[in-house]
Amino acid sequence: MENGRCDPSERTLEAVLSVYCFAGLVDESEEQFREIKALGILPSVMCYCMMLAVYAKCERWDDAYELLDEMFTNRASNIHQVIGQMIKGNYDDESNWQMVEYVFDKLNSEGCGLGIRFYNTLLEALWCLGQKERAARVLNEATKRGLFPELFRTNKLVWSVDVHRMWAGGACTAISVWFNNMYEMFKNGENRPQLETVVVVRGQMEKSSITRDFPVASATYSFLIDNVSSSFRFPGWNKGRIICQRSQLKRFLSDTEPSSDGSKKDKLITLSNTPFPLLGMRTTTADVMRDQHGNADTKTSIKMTTELLTSTV
């Protein structure tokens, strides 16, 4: 940018960082993050969350934990401190969670655009760091504040979850919550609609077959196949939807394996928080998945594409 005599704004620098992080380019992400600091700008909470996510995806856990420590020891910004503490789980109890809600309310007053970027990056960081239960709680806070109003829709014919404005971490969080609610309905014998659909793209791109290669569409489809049912597919009439018929999903729900004590599972998709190890103790992806599921062979739920594509905001 300097060679091109460009004087980028903070928003521009953040957008460039998001491209690198979305593609999993950790070295380029680090360079961009350092450039933001070199310009005398305090990287936003979104920048920190993006770096946490890319470190986690590249299994650079020590770097992620050092950056997290940098967040909640930052004396220049209370927002950085609160979000850092929340990610680490220090504000999970109701009394401390009020501080998190205060930050969410403050950011919500800045407008929808900032809110979408903030929650997308925060959910991405939480999901990649294995803080999935906490991610579901944050998603609930986002919807309470009017973000992602299109997320959950249901009627007699269709029940949909619309993740077209979300990053992969937020999309997987939303789908997990959606399916757990659906599983609860199934156990209670409630009627479900004829079609379940996940919306990954809207607009003209719904007609294009390249849609399924978009990062969010690819991650969502992989998550559905690995964690729910292979019956989900892209229909011929709309490339921006991933659908499953009620009869097909009913067979899957009926065949869901009981828990170890023989009782039915409470949740179809387990959402838990992986404990943070001590600094200096490197953790592999297999260790993270073992902590969450008790099985080192559990498949990684998100398959990130390496294309330089940004998410729709």
Side-chain angles (χ1 to χ4, degrees), residues 97 136 138 166 216 233 235 239 243 295:
W97 189 258
V138 168
M166 305 186 89
V216 173
R233 59 184 177 83
K239 308 302 182 184
I243 67 169
N295 183 354

Side-chain angles (χ1 to χ4, degrees), residues 78-79 100-111 114 145:
N78 290 332
I79 292 178
V100 179
E101 292 177 322
Y102 173 78
V103 169
F104 289 167
D105 289 337
K106 184 176 181 180
L107 291 171
N108 199 53
S109 66
E110 299 294 329
L114 176 65
R145 286 164 177 79

